[in-house]
Each structure stands twice: as structure tokens, then as C-alpha cells.
Amino acid sequence: MDSDASLSAPPSRTRGIVLLGLAILGLASALYAVRGPLMMSAPRCMAGRWHGCFDTFNGVVLMTLVALPPAVLVVWLLARRRRAAGGTTAWRMSLAEVGMVHGTLPFLWLTMMPGAGAGTVPGRLSLVPLRDLVTMGPLGIVGNLLVFASLGFFAPMRFASSASLPRILALGAGCSVLVETAQYVLRLDRVSSVDDVLVNTAGAVLAALASRRWWRTTARTKSGRLSPGRRCADVFAYVGDTERCLGCRHACTDRGGRALPGRGRP
């Protein structure tokens, strides 16, 4: 088993490096495409001016990008602290925590940004499904898909209690309903639409599907007990930040062949 794990490790690392390179290339290409609009907001944002920076789409996107290096630093500090405490999932847990916040707050800020008639125009509702979907346009649909995408992607990686599609669906729908309700109650001169809820929820679910292989779950049988007779690489529980094998009939090892604490029986 150790030899198999050692043979399979290099291809997995290679795939990770390739995916990381593609992600960096895609981000660089996107930044190059929108460099003009972002640079228009740069002087106001760098001067700390509210108007023209934090109340515009370009300004919020720019400040989100500026905050990316500090967010990476926070991930590193959290992971280092967890590894010092003996955690085996330090990087994944730390990335999930920071990713949820950094990837969700800017979109919430944009959705709660008041319009020109905020405070004077009464709240507006659109409760007919799919009626507003046609008028959103491709950019509007993509934006609504991304509102809770980070939450859907990272929440199951951080919290085992949310690691199922029905729960992510409920989480995305609940958060979206709260946002639309706040828009209506606060009279932000925005339309509270049921289509926004549907698209926001769909974005959270699709993002959760994309991160499914990294979910923080415990394999269980229908009775709720850990399934015996399978490798501990597939059957394990999380205790704090540490993977522990429970009730396995085989040697208690992780996917890399390393020994894990627990009740593994060789």
C-alpha cells in the first residue's frame, strides 16, 4: 500500500500544480481585460475616498484585489498555528475560513449598495419566478451566481454539518432571502426578486459540487455508524483538526500511507 501511495503522489501533485497555474493564468487574463475600469477607481480608493471607490462596482472589485495578499497572509498564519498544534488539515481549514469571508463580503457589499433613490423610493418586489431572469443579462446572471459561490465552495470544507447538497441549498437560499429582505426593508432603491434568490442558491450549490472531493465529512452507513471493513483512507472522522480512524479493520493510515491515531486494527 505504501508503494502504491508513493507512486500516485507525484501525478496528484502535478495535477495540483497544473490547476494552480491555470487559475493564476485565468486571473491574470481577467485582470488584464478589466484593467482600464479598475484603474479609473484607483486614485479615489488609494486616497481613501468613499465616493467613487466604495460606492462603485469598480472600486469594490479593486479593493477586493488589493485585500487578496493580506488574505493569503492570514491563511498562512492560521495554517502555521494549526500545524504547530498538531492539526493535519491546517491548510484546508484555514483556506476555507478566509475564503468564505474574502469571497462573500465584497458581493454582499455590492448587493446592499443603495441606489440613487434610496430612502425615498418604496421597496419593490418581484415574486414571479423567471420573469427577471431574462432582463438580468449574462453579466447579471454571472454576478448573482457568484454572490454565495465562495460560501457554497468553502463551507462544506470547514463545517462537517454543512457537507451535503440539501444543506448547502438551504444555506444559500436562506442567506439570499435575508439579503433580498434587507434590500426591501431598508428601501435601498433595489428590486427584491425571487429570481435573485434562485440564481444565488444555484451558484452556492454549483460551487459546492466543485469542492465536493474536499468536503469535511465522515463516511457513515445508513444506521449512522461508521462503516467497518473499509480502508481508513476512506473512512475517518475529524476530531478538532486531526483525522482519526474509527472502527476500521485495516491499518489506520491516510491516503498518503501515513499512520493516523485512532482505533485502527491491522
Side-chain angles (χ1 to χ4, degrees):
M1 183 174 67
D2 292 342
S3 60
D4 294 340
S6 62
L7 291 175
S8 62
S12 64
R13 285 197 295 266
T14 302
R15 286 194 298 269
I17 294 173
V18 171
L19 290 175
L20 179 60
L22 290 175
I24 294 174
L25 180 62
L27 179 60
S29 301
L31 291 177
Y32 180 80
V34 300
R35 68 190 186 284
L38 293 182
M39 289 302 100
M40 292 173 59
S41 301
R44 294 183 177 88
C45 291
M46 295 301 102
R49 298 178 184 175
W50 179 275
H51 181 64
C53 180
F54 298 103
D55 61 346
T56 64
F57 174 83
N58 293 336
V60 174
V61 173
L62 178 61
M63 295 310 296
T64 302
L65 295 174
V66 170
L68 187 58
V72 173
L73 177 61
V74 172
V75 171
W76 180 77
L77 291 174
L78 289 174
R80 184 179 180 183
R81 180 179 179 182
R82 284 194 166 102
R83 289 180 67 87
T88 60
T89 58
W91 282 103
R92 179 171 57 179
M93 299 282 286
S94 303
L95 178 62
E97 291 172 352
V98 176
M100 279 189 294
V101 176
H102 187 266
T104 304
L105 284 184
F107 287 101
L108 288 180
W109 184 273
L110 291 172
T111 57
M112 297 300 293
M113 194 175 293
T120 58
V121 177
R124 290 166 290 172
L125 292 174
S126 179
L127 301 179
V128 180
L130 306 182
R131 186 175 66 181
D132 297 329
L133 196 61
V134 181
T135 61
M136 282 184 188
L139 185 59
I141 293 175
V142 171
N144 276 288
L145 286 173
L146 293 176
V147 172
F148 293 113
S150 294
L151 184 65
F153 188 92
F154 290 113
M157 294 169 55
R158 177 60 181 85
F159 304 107
S161 58
S162 65
S164 72
L165 289 181
R167 292 177 181 177
I168 290 298
L169 189 149
L171 178 63
C175 291
S176 184
V177 169
L178 287 176
V179 169
E180 298 300 313
T181 302
Q183 289 178 349
Y184 180 81
V185 172
L186 298 176
R187 302 171 65 182
L188 298 179
D189 191 20
R190 303 178 70 99
V191 179
S192 299
S193 173
V194 66
D195 286 345
D196 288 341
V197 175
L198 294 177
V199 181
N200 293 165
T201 305
V205 173
L206 291 174
L209 286 172
S211 67
R212 193 165 191 172
R213 62 174 296 180
W214 301 294
W215 284 5
R216 189 183 183 195
T217 58
T218 302
R220 296 181 180 274
T221 62
K222 293 182 179 179
S223 63
R225 296 183 178 179
L226 287 168
S227 175
R230 295 172 59 191
R231 295 288 180 182
C232 288
D234 297 319
V235 181
F236 59 87
Y238 280 91
V239 180
D241 292 330
T242 304
E243 296 176 357
R244 294 183 181 273
C245 297
L246 299 175
C248 296
R249 294 178 179 175
H250 300 279
C252 194
T253 58
D254 63 9
R255 296 182 189 275
R258 295 168 296 185
L260 291 176
R263 297 199 301 271
R265 297 189 295 276

